Amino acid sequence: MSTHKQAEEAIVSNFNETDHDGGGKEAEDNSDDHAVVSFKDMLWHGGSAYDAWFSCASNQVAQVLLTLPYSFSQLGMLSGIVFQVFYGLIGSWTAYLISVLYMEYRCRKEKEGVSFKNHVIQWFEVLDGLLGPYWKALGLAFNCTFLLFGSVIQLIACASNIYYINDHLDKRTWTYIFGACCATTVFIPSFHNYRIWSFLGLGMTTYTAWYMTIAALVHGQAPDVVHTGPKKLVLYFTGATNILYTFGGHAVTVEVMHAMWKPQKFKYIYLLATLYVFTLTIPSASAVYWAFGDQLLNHSNAFSLLPKTAWRDAAVILMLIHQFITFGFACTPLYFVWEKVIGMHDTRSMCLRALARLPVVIPIWFLAIIFPFFGPINSAVGALLVSFTVYIIPALAHMLTYRKASARQNAAEKPPFFMPSWTAMYALNTFIVIWVFVVGFGFGGWASVTNFVRQVDTFGLFAKCYQCKPPAHPTALPPQHH
C-alpha cells in the first residue's frame, strides 16, 4: 500500500513541475537571462497558488455584486446574509470536490503514461475518465450552457453599466459595441495568462463593493424607505437563486487548477477566496438595501439608485473593464471545447486558434440582445444550470467515483482533516444534492422562470432599453435633452 502511495506522490510531483501549456515553469526558469522576458512572465505567466486565489476571488463576483442588493430586497436582510454564508460554504465544498476528482483523474492517466503537454484538462474529461461517456455528455451539456449564459450576462452587464454614464445610446446599441470589444478575448491563450488581469480584477471589485457600501451609508436612508421583504414566495426564491448563482462561479475550477504548477495546492484556495468575497458582498448588499429598501425591487442594478458622482462613474468604468476580463474567463473554457471539437486544440499558432474561436462569440452576442434582463437572467441561469453544474454533479460524481472500497483505499486524496470518515463525506454530499435539487432547482427554477417570463411579457424580447428612464412625455415625444 505504501509503495503505491509513494508512486502516486512521485507522479503528482512530476506532473506539477512539467507538462504545462503556456510554458509556465520552463518560462519561469529561463527568464533569468532576459530582464524583458522576466517582466513579461511576471505579468503573463501565472501558475502559483496566489494566481489561483486571485483568479477565484476576482471572478467569483463581477456584475453579481450589483444585483445582490436587488436580491436582498426580495429576501430581506437576514435571509440575504444567511443565504450568502450558506451558499458560499457549500460552493467552497463542491469546488474542493472538483479539485479532488481532477487529482484522481490526473493520477490515473499519468500512471497510464498519458502526457498533457499541449492539452488543457477540462471538467467533462475528468467525468469521462472517472465515470464514463454518459457523465461526460452530462458535464459537457451543463458546463457549456452555463458558461455560454455566463458570458451573455457579462455582455448585458456591460451595456447596463455604461448606460449610467452615457445614456445618449440605448442599452441595446451598447451591447453591439461591447460584443465587438469582448470578441478580442479570442487572443488570450489560456488561464496561465490571466495573472495581471485577475490581480487588477480583484482590485476593481474591491473598489466597487466599498464604494457601494460607503455611498449608501453617506446617502443615508431614502425618504419613506420601506423594507417589506420577504413579501412573495416567487421573489424570495428568485433572490435565493441569485445568491446560489453568485457562489457557483467555479465552472472553470479544473482549467484554473490545470494552469497551476502545483495543482494539489488548490484544495482550500476556493474557500479562502470565498471568505474574502464575503467582505465585499455582505457589507455592500446590506448597506444599499438599508438605504433604498423596496425601491430595489424595480432596480436590479444598484448603480441606477446611487447618486451620480465621480466616485460612481469610476466604479462603473472599473466594472466595465472587469466584465471584459470575466467575459474572457467564462469564454476561455468554451474556446477550448470548440477547439477540441474542430481539431484545433493542439495548434501552435495563436492567430489560427483565435480565428477558429470566433464562432463561439457570435451566439453569445445574439442572446445578449434577445434577453437583456439584467438580474432576472442571473436567477434563471442559477436555478436551471448552476444548480447542476457546480453543486449537484460534483457531489454525485464524487460519491460514485469512491463508491467501491478499493477506490476509497487507493484515493489520490483522502477525506480532509475536519471530516471524520468517508461516511460523513457521503452524508454531506447527499444533503447538498437534495437541498440544491429541491430548493435551488425546484423552487428556484419555478420562481426565476416565472419572474423571467414576466420580464419578457413586460418588456418584450430584443428590449431596446431594459429598466431605463421613461421619456418625460411619451405622448408628445419632445426632443430629449441630456
Side-chain angles (χ1 to χ4, degrees):
M1 193 63 238
S2 60
T3 54
H4 171 86
K5 196 70 194 159
Q6 283 165 353
E8 210 165 64
E9 280 164 5
I11 289 159
V12 171
S13 60
N14 175 49
F15 77 61
N16 286 315
E17 299 306 324
T18 57
D19 279 279
H20 278 291
D21 65 314
K25 198 73 181 169
E26 294 84 359
E28 196 189 44
D29 293 338
N30 297 337
S31 63
D32 299 333
D33 309 330
H34 311 286
V36 180
V37 177
S38 71
F39 181 69
K40 181 193 157 200
D41 286 354
M42 192 175 78
L43 299 179
W44 190 246
H45 285 304
S48 69
Y50 294 105
D51 288 303
W53 183 83
F54 276 113
S55 289
C56 292
S58 78
N59 288 285
Q60 196 174 97
V61 286
Q63 42 70 36
V64 169
L65 201 57
L66 309 175
T67 64
L68 284 174
Y70 166 68
S71 297
F72 270 46
S73 70
Q74 296 168 321
L75 287 164
M77 188 79 83
L78 179 64
S79 289
I81 294 170
V82 169
F83 270 120
Q84 277 206 38
V85 174
F86 177 68
Y87 281 128
L89 295 177
I90 286 186
S92 300
W93 175 253
T94 53
Y96 168 76
L97 296 181
I98 291 170
S99 73
V100 167
L101 293 172
Y102 168 87
M103 295 297 291
E104 185 68 40
Y105 169 77
R106 186 103 195 223
C107 279
R108 290 184 190 183
K109 286 292 174 193
E110 293 282 343
K111 269 184 249 177
E112 293 167 16
V114 177
S115 166
F116 295 104
K117 188 101 182 144
N118 294 315
H119 185 92
V120 176
I121 297 174
Q122 293 188 268
W123 177 227
F124 70 89
E125 292 166 315
V126 172
L127 290 173
D128 185 26
L130 298 176
L131 297 168
Y134 291 115
W135 280 85
K136 174 187 177 179
L138 195 68
L140 199 54
F142 273 107
N143 227 32
C144 289
T145 316
F146 166 47
L147 290 167
L148 181 81
F149 277 98
S151 306
V152 168
I153 288 168
Q154 299 311 321
L155 261 190
I156 295 169
C158 285
S160 178
N161 288 351
I162 190 70
Y163 181 78
Y164 297 117
I165 287 187
N166 182 338
D167 57 6
H168 289 80
L169 298 175
D170 59 73
K171 290 181 184 177
R172 190 168 67 195
T173 307
W174 281 119
T175 308
Y176 292 135
I177 294 166
F178 277 100
C181 294
C182 288
T184 57
T185 57
V186 296
F187 290 101
I188 296 175
S190 78
F191 284 100
H192 277 302
N193 314 112
Y194 269 93
R195 168 174 279 185
I196 188 67
W197 299 120
S198 295
F199 178 75
L200 291 173
L202 191 59
M204 291 163 188
T205 50
T206 302
Y207 170 86
T208 304
W210 286 108
Y211 152 73
M212 285 165 66
T213 308
I214 295 163
L217 295 174
V218 169
H219 176 277
Q221 288 193 309
D224 306 321
V225 69
V226 280
H227 300 85
T228 54
K231 197 160 59 170
K232 293 180 183 165
L233 269 183
V234 170
L235 294 179
Y236 188 82
F237 284 109
T238 303
T241 314
N242 189 39
I243 292 178
L244 175 134
Y245 169 82
T246 305
F247 294 99
H250 42 288
V252 293
T253 301
V254 171
E255 289 87 352
V256 170
M257 278 188 80
H258 190 84
M260 289 176 73
W261 298 318
K262 294 196 167 143
Q264 72 267 37
K265 285 187 173 180
F266 186 86
K267 278 190 250 178
Y268 303 118
I269 283 174
Y270 200 88
L271 175 63
L272 296 172
T274 301
L275 294 176
Y276 179 77
V277 165
F278 283 155
T279 69
L280 307 182
T281 55
I282 294 174
S284 62
S286 305
V288 176
Y289 177 54
W290 169 83
F292 298 103
D294 285 7
Q295 284 184 56
L296 284 156
L297 288 168
N298 298 314
H299 294 84
S300 49
N301 189 331
F303 281 148
S304 61
L305 285 174
L306 292 164
K308 185 171 170 57
T309 61
W311 296 102
R312 192 195 75 166
D313 289 354
V316 171
I317 290 162
L318 289 177
M319 286 309 278
L320 281 173
I321 301 167
H322 189 275
Q323 265 131 27
F324 174 77
I325 297 166
T326 312
F327 180 92
F329 212 77
C331 242
T332 301
L334 288 176
Y335 296 152
F336 292 156
V337 172
W338 178 245
E339 285 170 3
K340 288 169 187 175
V341 167
I342 61 171
M344 293 282 283
H345 189 58
D346 294 335
T347 307
R348 282 285 182 196
S349 164
M350 198 53 235
C351 289
L352 274 177
R353 283 173 69 190
L355 203 61
R357 289 169 169 191
L358 274 176
V360 176
V361 181
I362 293 158
I364 293 168
W365 207 353
F366 190 60
L367 286 165
I369 292 160
I370 301 177
F371 304 116
F373 311 125
F374 187 51
I377 194 172
N378 296 21
S379 300
V381 169
L384 305 178
L385 298 171
V386 175
S387 55
F388 283 95
T389 306
V390 293
Y391 294 99
I392 294 173
I393 290 175
L396 280 176
H398 188 273
M399 290 196 283
L400 288 172
T401 300
Y402 297 110
R403 66 190 180 279
K404 291 180 181 163
S406 58
R408 292 194 293 276
Q409 207 172 13
N410 299 328
E413 193 72 55
K414 297 288 187 258
F417 67 90
F418 54 85
M419 277 281 154
S421 64
W422 283 96
T423 310
M425 285 192 82
Y426 268 73
L428 179 56
N429 289 344
T430 306
F431 166 75
I432 290 171
V433 170
I434 294 168
W435 174 275
V436 175
F437 186 77
V438 174
V439 178
F441 176 70
F443 289 113
W446 158 74
S448 54
V449 170
T450 305
N451 189 31
F452 191 81
V453 169
R454 194 176 294 152
Q455 305 299 318
V456 174
D457 290 343
T458 308
F459 295 94
L461 297 175
F462 297 98
K464 198 169 183 181
C465 216
Y466 175 67
Q467 289 187 343
C468 296
K469 294 173 291 188
H473 302 288
T475 46
L477 289 175
Q480 296 257 329
H481 295 295
H482 297 288

